[in-house]
Amino acid sequence: MNSDSRITQDVGLARDVLRRGGLVGIPTETVYGLAAVALNEKAVGRVFEAKARPTSHPLIIHVSPSDDIHRWGQLNESAQQLAETLWPGPLTLLVPRTQLVPDWVTGGRDTVALRIPAHDMTISLLDALGDAVVAPSANRFGQVSPTTAQHVVNDLGDSVDLVLDGGPCTIGIESTIVECTNSSVQILRPGKVTALEVAKITGVNISALDGPSRAPGMLLAHYAPRARVELCTTLREARDRFTRLTNDQMSVEILHHEDLVTYALSLYDNLRTADLNNREVVIAVLPPEHGLGIAIRDRLTKAAASN
Ligand code: TXA
Ligand code: MG
């Protein structure tokens, strides 16, 4: 039994809370989301309030594999290929929206972000609900995304009604956002699915291959802990800086993992723990710029920009 009574594994209970217009923290393979029924304007309004997020920053609609995705968006050939190959999975497709998609989800844009997450508990919830949900990452705006049910409760306090506990996330950083709105295919936010993979699946040359996140709301400063984040390119450089700062009586730690999967998986938890330990500075070693390393560098660079 968890210490917080709002943390549960009861999918039926979560469905009932959503049906009543409530907010439920949901597990996904990337990070935990804050879900509300997408077609319920009042409930979606509460998501923006709970996160203290500007309403101009649109939300991702999360859909079950058994729903008909074409009710929500118009998938061109590239989008269709990506969906078939990578869903359920850590991919969000940005496509022209259908008439079903309300303005309160997209902030009035004519595109919609769609994702089928790879998490059995959340897919069961969507099927029980028979409806799609919006789900931004379940953290307060600009802060570090949650990768456990407890993180969600710690961040959002009373503004979340229930959190469905599906265990720790298995990827640890947000989905790759791919825009497929015309003939071009663009990466708006890097994630586990890489530009190379997207190019291979679609056969389309990807513009802005490894650039920084460009989706609205992906401000330069984002994913930020309270501690100051400083970036280094080598472990040696990080150790030198560590010695200098600790000589100045500062509370410092180094963030570094050789293995990229572990780096992504533990990134947000490590930043949260640094705050719990009252670190003043986190010295992060940037991983090499390939594969998952691209997404980790993106998040670290944004965390450092908040200093
Ligand atoms: O892995 C994920 O994608 C997680 C989990 C919970 O699924 N969700 C997530 O949502 O990261 P959020 O809201 O924190 O980030 C979604 C990003 C935002 O930067 C938002 O601006 C962008 O997607 N986005 C959503 N709809 C859009 C649209 N119609 N046009 C452009 N950008 C959009
Ligand atoms: Mg977010």
Side-chain angles (χ1 to χ4, degrees):
M1 181 70 189
N2 198 287
S3 57
D4 192 301
S5 60
R6 286 169 306 159
I7 297 182
T8 181
Q9 298 192 326
D10 187 340
V11 170
L13 191 60
R15 172 205 55 201
D16 293 344
V17 170
L18 286 171
R19 280 203 180 137
R20 286 199 301 270
L23 304 189
V24 176
I26 56 165
T28 83
E29 76 280 35
T30 58
V31 299
Y32 271 71
L34 182 63
V37 171
L39 296 181
N40 183 334
E41 180 172 13
K42 220 164 136 195
V44 174
R46 287 187 59 207
V47 170
F48 285 101
E49 266 168 45
K51 281 185 58 87
R53 170 165 165 150
T55 49
S56 57
H57 293 168
L59 303 172
I60 301 175
I61 298 186
H62 291 61
V63 181
S64 163
S66 60
D67 194 346
D68 176 11
I69 196 76
H70 302 102
R71 296 198 304 135
W72 302 98
Q74 297 161 25
L75 278 62
N76 64 15
E77 200 188 332
S78 300
Q80 197 68 42
Q81 288 165 324
L82 291 168
E84 276 164 22
T85 316
L86 297 171
W87 273 346
L91 166 79
T92 295
L93 289 176
L94 191 71
V95 298
R97 69 169 172 173
T98 61
Q99 283 190 339
L100 176 64
V101 177
D103 279 343
W104 60 77
V105 171
T106 68
R109 287 175 178 73
D110 49 15
T111 53
V112 63
L114 300 173
R115 172 158 124 79
I116 301 183
H119 198 294
D120 288 348
M121 200 180 246
T122 286
I123 289 177
S124 304
L125 172 65
L126 291 169
D127 286 340
L129 187 67
D131 226 336
V133 297
V134 294
S137 52
N139 52 285
R140 288 181 61 86
F141 184 63
Q143 294 175 8
V144 178
S145 294
T147 54
T148 66
Q150 189 63 51
H151 290 163
V152 179
V153 169
N154 295 350
D155 281 8
L156 297 179
D158 290 341
S159 38
V160 58
D161 298 306
L162 199 71
V163 183
L164 203 49
D165 189 354
C169 299
T170 52
I171 294 176
I173 54 175
E174 302 81 354
S175 61
T176 306
I177 304 181
V178 182
E179 182 180 6
C180 298
T181 46
N182 43 40
S183 54
S184 84
V185 176
Q186 295 194 44
I187 309 285
L188 297 191
R189 179 177 69 185
K192 176 159 190 287
V193 172
T194 60
L196 223 60
E197 235 179 303
V198 171
K200 229 184 246 170
I201 292 166
T202 59
V204 172
N205 255 340
I206 311 293
S207 32
L209 202 74
D210 299 332
S213 310
R214 289 175 299 116
M218 310 248 56
L219 312 172
L220 188 59
H222 214 97
Y223 312 110
R226 273 198 322 278
R228 188 169 84 224
V229 177
E230 295 188 4
L231 305 177
C232 284
T233 44
T234 63
L235 186 55
R236 191 181 172 155
E237 189 191 336
R239 288 195 177 123
D240 287 348
R241 197 175 299 186
F242 180 90
T243 308
R244 240 182 305 124
L245 290 171
T246 44
N247 281 344
D248 288 344
Q249 312 301 322
M250 295 190 82
S251 174
V252 188
E253 72 182 50
I254 293 177
L255 185 54
H256 172 68
H257 298 277
E258 279 299 333
D259 177 53
L260 294 183
V261 172
T262 309
Y263 208 151
L265 197 60
S266 57
L267 177 63
Y268 292 142
D269 192 49
N270 286 158
L271 292 176
R272 283 165 186 273
T273 307
D275 277 348
L276 285 176
N277 292 336
N278 290 316
R279 300 293 188 213
E280 292 160 277
V281 181
V282 173
I283 304 169
V285 182
L286 288 169
E289 210 164 357
H290 61 74
L292 203 45
I294 295 166
I296 298 167
R297 290 173 72 102
D298 174 67
R299 306 309 192 267
L300 285 173
T301 307
K302 291 199 165 64
S306 309
N307 294 336

